[in-house]
Amino acid sequence: MESVYVISEKILSLILYIAPVGVFALISSVIATQGFELIAKLFVYVLGLFISTLIMISLYTLILLVLQAKPGKFFQSLAPSLSLAFGTASSNAALPVVLQNAQEGYGLREDIASFAIPLGTALKRDGSAILQGFNALFIAQIYHVPLTAELLLAIALSSLLVSFSTPGVPGSAIITMATVLGAAGLPVEGIAIVAGIDRLTDGFKTVLNVIGNVTNAVILSRWEPEVPS
């Protein structure tokens, strides 16, 4: 087992080492066929994804306001973990800091935080679902595929289902994107178009995932009041 692990690690290191070269070649090929206006389209894509992320964060802020859960203190306490989540693009890597900030900074109960936040990190990923849906819509527009009701439904369902199985590691969205595009009948080679900016969009996705998971933990803490000993 140790030998298999070492071999797998070496193969993965080699893939990660040459991946930037492959992505550069793919993007060069796409720009050669699509033209430099693709860069402007990518800028609009990133801006749209950023706005959609802010809209979802605003919804969570509204939920915190309704629960009287002090949204200002919420975001101030989570600032270190959110910056780590954006920098690493990994909800798994940020999990220990998220737990510490939620308990010590925000005051979330340990029994709620230690249950709800890791469970949400493993299963609930709002940012992943939004990112996958955005990627599919963007690729459909790039390749001039009509946005029919059937296509939108396929994108929505596949993005939702894939978000449950997306690993909390950097670059995982690129791998799972092939499943969404295949389910929606979109060109899988469109992955090359968004691969170059995946590191930035991955950060948006992870920040939203963290905020959503901690908000759910706050909701659970309101439903499950502490029992006096």
Side-chain angles (χ1 to χ4, degrees), residues 82 85-87 89 198-208:
L82 293 180
F86 183 81
D198 176 69
R199 193 62 183 80
L200 177 62
T201 57
D202 226 3
F204 296 157
K205 173 201 75 174
T206 308
V207 167
L208 182 56

Side-chain angles (χ1 to χ4, degrees), residues 9 25 33-34 39 84-85 96 133 140 153 186 202 210 224:
E9 188 179 34
T33 55
Q34 298 280 345
I39 298 178
L84 178 63
L153 181 61
L186 296 172
D202 226 3
V210 170
E224 297 289 338

